[in-house]
Amino acid sequence: FNQQGNLIGTCGDDGFVKLWDSNNGNLFFQFIADQGHDKIERISFAPVPSWSVDPLMMGTGEGSKVYIWNIHKGMLIRTLK
């Protein structure tokens, strides 16, 4: 769950991270890591700092990669290797 409790994140071997609306169960958004070539093993919502308006979500993948997504913009913003 994110901090507000309105999103649930799931991940899997297909490289997709999916965000679900916890109020109605509908798919809110889905992200893909490395064009689907990397399975995502864990995800975590980052606390939203006071200086930022965009919430972030991080995921870890194979080979010690860390993916950082901007939830509001729906995009991968950085991959750490």
Side-chain angles (χ1 to χ4, degrees), residues 4-8 17 28 30-31 34-35 37 42 45 48 51 55 59 64 66 74-75 77-78 80:
Q4 295 77 20
N6 61 335
L7 293 176
I8 300 169
V17 173
F28 175 72
Q30 69 180 12
F31 302 92
D34 201 19
Q35 287 118 21
H37 295 103
R42 290 182 178 87
F45 292 94
V48 179
W51 50 265
S64 302
V66 176
M75 61 187 285
I77 58 172
R78 182 164 296 173
L80 307 173

Side-chain angles (χ1 to χ4, degrees), residues 23-81:
N23 296 313
N24 58 28
N26 291 332
L27 181 64
F28 175 72
F29 203 86
Q30 69 180 12
F31 302 92
I32 190 165
D34 201 19
Q35 287 118 21
H37 295 103
D38 194 4
K39 71 178 182 177
I40 301 298
E41 298 169 344
R42 290 182 178 87
I43 56 172
S44 177
F45 292 94
V48 179
S50 59
W51 50 265
S52 175
V53 295
D54 290 333
L56 303 176
M57 183 179 59
M58 293 168 282
T60 58
E62 296 177 311
S64 302
K65 291 181 185 175
V66 176
Y67 298 95
I68 303 172
W69 290 277
N70 180 310
I71 295 172
H72 282 173
K73 293 180 181 175
M75 61 187 285
L76 178 67
I77 58 172
R78 182 164 296 173
T79 302
L80 307 173
K81 297 178 185 182

